[in-house]
Amino acid sequence: MRKKRRAQVLLCSEIGSEGRNFQFANQLVMFDLPFNPDLLEQRIGRLDRIGQSRDIDVHVPYLKGTAQAILARWFDEGLNAFRETCPTGRAVYDKYSDTLIEMLASGETEELDDIIEASAKLNKELKSQLEQGRDRLLEMHSNGGEKAQQIVESISSTDGDTNLVTFALSLFDTIGLNQDDKGENALVVTPSEHMMVPSYPGLPYEGATITFDRETALSREDMNFISWEHPMIQGGIDLLMSEGVGTSAVSLLKNKALPVGTILLELVYVVDAQAPKRSGIQRFLPKTPIRLMMDARGNDLSSQVEFEGFNRQLSPVNRHLASKLVSSVQNDIHGLISAGEAQVVERVEAVKQQAQQEMASSLNSELERLQALKAVNPNIRDEEIEAIDEQIKELTGYIGKAQVQLDSLRLIVVSHN
């Protein structure tokens, strides 16, 4: 039913009323109504869910004078359950269930109008009580306002990112995964016998069907929607970094303005604060790269040599030639690494200082806001204020103890050929 020119009708027993995703349909026909209003909500909720782009039409055929006719009237006129969400339905049902069941069994409907009127009145009262118990402040912050909308727009802007598709396919190739294009934005990825590692993060042994298209993923519960945050992408990146692939390289720079044989050493350090995820360290000090471009005299040229433009001027060399070049300047490389370690210290302190400032500014503002709200809102608990205060102390310590390590390096040799 998800695709055009396929079956247009899906028949379900009661098993289709729970745990299913039928948002590709918008016409619901119920030949039998449940006694429980919550179960009715479940049935409608199979269609009325994330990914549904149309209004839901509910059809309830019944014969006059039958139990189904009584139930249909009670659900419609007593609870308005076919037109809007009914969170109070079960409470109303519990009060009038004995009378309803007796009425359904006997078929006598003399009291039906009274039951419907009383149910509608109770339903309205219960909804009013729920409305009065709403925490407006909580709702405002749950919604997120303009910031939430900005996040949504930011996420949406990454949909259809060709860089992600190119990167993911290259990543799977590098690891050694099998890829089978199934068309209609679908790709089947399975483990192979020639993989770099025994298992791949986020990929089941039998493989998985993936898509880079959000609409396809929303309509197909059997598909994995691949984004930059998906475990198969993040896990693959971590796998490559932990395996040591790509941590060293040798390139040629063809530039006649520089003497042949001139060497440059590009060093990439990573500042990393060892802290549990629950601390929120990623908000303020994620793993942060620091790039140095050392010339033969130990001067850092990174501020003058922009990475992307410089990278396009470089040519790779084969492993045999790379090994010879490294051996010929090995002592120079060690000296430049030592010079880089001395120079990176100041950059690390600047990164840590900026992280401390951002953390203090953000969390202290949140702390002050909660303290001000607590004075007028009893729903703000002391535990919330204490948790933020404790988080500030923990993060201050974690950021202060952040370490730096050499993550990767690249030797660049000038050539005129």
Side-chain angles (χ1 to χ4, degrees):
M1 288 186 68
R2 299 186 183 98
K3 304 173 183 177
K4 295 180 179 179
R5 299 179 182 177
R6 297 293 176 91
Q8 297 300 300
V9 177
L10 175 64
L11 297 176
C12 291
S13 63
E14 195 59 51
I15 195 173
S17 67
E18 190 172 355
R20 308 288 172 172
N21 298 328
F22 297 147
Q23 64 269 29
F24 48 80
N26 76 317
Q27 302 291 318
L28 175 62
V29 182
M30 290 183 284
F31 292 100
D32 66 322
L33 289 171
F35 292 144
N36 189 339
D38 289 345
L39 187 53
L40 178 64
E41 282 289 313
Q42 284 281 359
R43 290 184 181 184
I44 298 174
R46 299 311 91 209
L47 282 69
D48 187 17
R49 58 192 304 105
I50 294 175
Q52 179 59 259
S53 59
R54 298 170 291 180
D55 292 334
I56 309 299
D57 295 327
V58 180
H59 308 271
V60 185
Y62 59 83
L63 296 175
K64 291 183 178 180
T66 63
Q68 287 292 295
I70 295 173
L71 268 180
R73 276 199 64 194
W74 183 71
F75 277 128
D76 185 29
E77 300 173 31
L79 300 181
N80 198 27
F82 297 127
R83 292 177 173 82
E84 60 182 37
T85 303
C86 188
T88 57
R90 183 54 191 255
V92 178
Y93 172 78
D94 288 343
K95 182 167 184 178
Y96 296 107
S97 59
D98 293 341
T99 307
L100 273 173
I101 291 173
E102 184 178 335
M103 192 179 299
L104 293 171
S106 65
E108 298 178 1
T109 59
E110 289 80 3
E111 299 181 15
L112 180 58
D113 289 340
D114 293 336
I115 293 295
I116 288 175
E117 183 179 353
S119 296
K121 182 179 179 181
L122 178 59
N123 187 45
K124 184 177 180 180
E125 291 174 355
L126 292 174
K127 283 190 173 182
S128 177
Q129 291 175 14
L130 284 176
E131 182 71 18
Q132 292 173 5
R134 289 167 60 187
D135 188 330
R136 301 285 184 174
L137 180 64
L138 177 62
E139 289 183 9
M140 288 172 61
H141 285 281
S142 297
N143 174 269
E146 293 183 3
K147 289 186 177 179
Q149 186 60 36
Q150 291 173 0
I151 293 173
V152 170
E153 291 174 357
S154 175
I155 293 173
S156 299
S157 67
T158 63
D159 287 355
D161 184 359
T162 56
N163 291 328
L164 170 60
V165 179
T166 303
F167 175 81
L169 298 182
S170 177
L171 174 64
F172 298 158
D173 279 337
T174 301
I175 298 296
L177 300 177
N178 292 324
Q179 304 171 52
D180 186 12
D181 189 353
K182 292 298 183 181
E184 298 182 341
N185 298 318
L187 188 71
V188 176
V189 180
T190 55
S192 73
E193 297 179 354
H194 309 291
M195 289 171 56
M196 183 185 296
V197 289
S199 62
Y200 185 80
L203 181 66
Y205 177 76
E206 66 277 9
T209 303
I210 67 171
T211 181
F212 299 95
D213 181 69
R214 187 180 298 274
E215 293 299 323
T216 302
L218 286 172
S219 65
R220 295 281 300 274
E221 58 185 274
D222 60 320
M223 282 192 180
N224 291 275
F225 176 58
I226 301 298
S227 66
W228 286 110
E229 291 74 29
H230 193 278
M232 288 180 66
I233 300 298
Q234 290 295 318
I237 294 173
D238 292 341
L239 185 62
L240 287 178
M241 295 180 69
S242 63
E243 289 294 315
V245 177
T247 57
S248 60
V250 179
S251 299
L252 293 179
L253 172 63
K254 296 179 181 179
N255 189 330
K256 294 184 178 181
L258 297 174
V260 173
T262 299
I263 66 169
L264 300 170
L265 187 65
E266 189 173 29
L267 304 171
V268 178
Y269 294 86
V270 172
V271 182
D272 185 18
Q274 297 295 323
K277 288 186 177 180
R278 62 171 179 77
S279 67
I281 189 68
Q282 291 298 316
R283 287 179 57 192
F284 310 107
L285 186 57
K287 289 185 176 181
T288 305
I290 297 177
R291 172 176 171 264
L292 302 181
M293 176 64 75
M294 311 298 294
D295 66 11
R297 298 179 180 179
N299 299 312
D300 177 23
L301 307 179
S302 58
S303 60
Q304 305 168 38
V305 182
E306 183 266 335
F307 174 78
E308 292 294 343
F310 182 70
N311 191 55
R312 287 193 291 267
Q313 301 177 44
L314 302 180
S315 304
V317 298
N318 60 54
R319 183 172 298 182
H320 178 69
L321 178 57
S323 178
K324 283 187 172 183
L325 290 172
V326 170
S327 297
S328 65
V329 294
Q330 190 168 12
N331 292 332
D332 296 326
I333 292 174
H334 287 300
L336 292 177
I337 291 176
S338 298
E341 290 176 349
Q343 295 191 34
V344 79
V345 173
E346 185 177 346
R347 299 270 294 272
V348 172
E349 290 304 315
V351 169
K352 291 161 66 173
Q353 185 177 358
Q354 182 179 356
Q356 291 281 18
Q357 290 174 351
E358 291 178 358
M359 180 274 294
S361 175
S362 176
L363 294 187
N364 280 326
S365 295
E366 179 68 10
L367 184 62
E368 291 172 4
R369 186 184 67 83
L370 285 178
Q371 290 171 337
L373 284 173
K374 181 173 172 56
V376 295
N377 188 344
N379 289 327
I380 304 299
R381 298 170 296 161
D382 290 336
E383 291 84 351
E384 295 179 68
I385 296 175
E386 292 170 0
I388 292 182
D389 191 39
E390 183 63 26
Q391 185 182 20
I392 293 174
K393 294 177 181 177
E394 286 186 353
L395 286 174
T396 299
Y398 290 138
I399 294 173
K401 295 177 181 178
Q403 301 293 317
V404 64
Q405 63 179 7
L406 180 60
D407 180 73
S408 57
L409 57 84
R410 175 164 58 178
L411 174 65
I412 298 111
V413 181
V414 174
S415 169
H416 290 175
N417 297 325

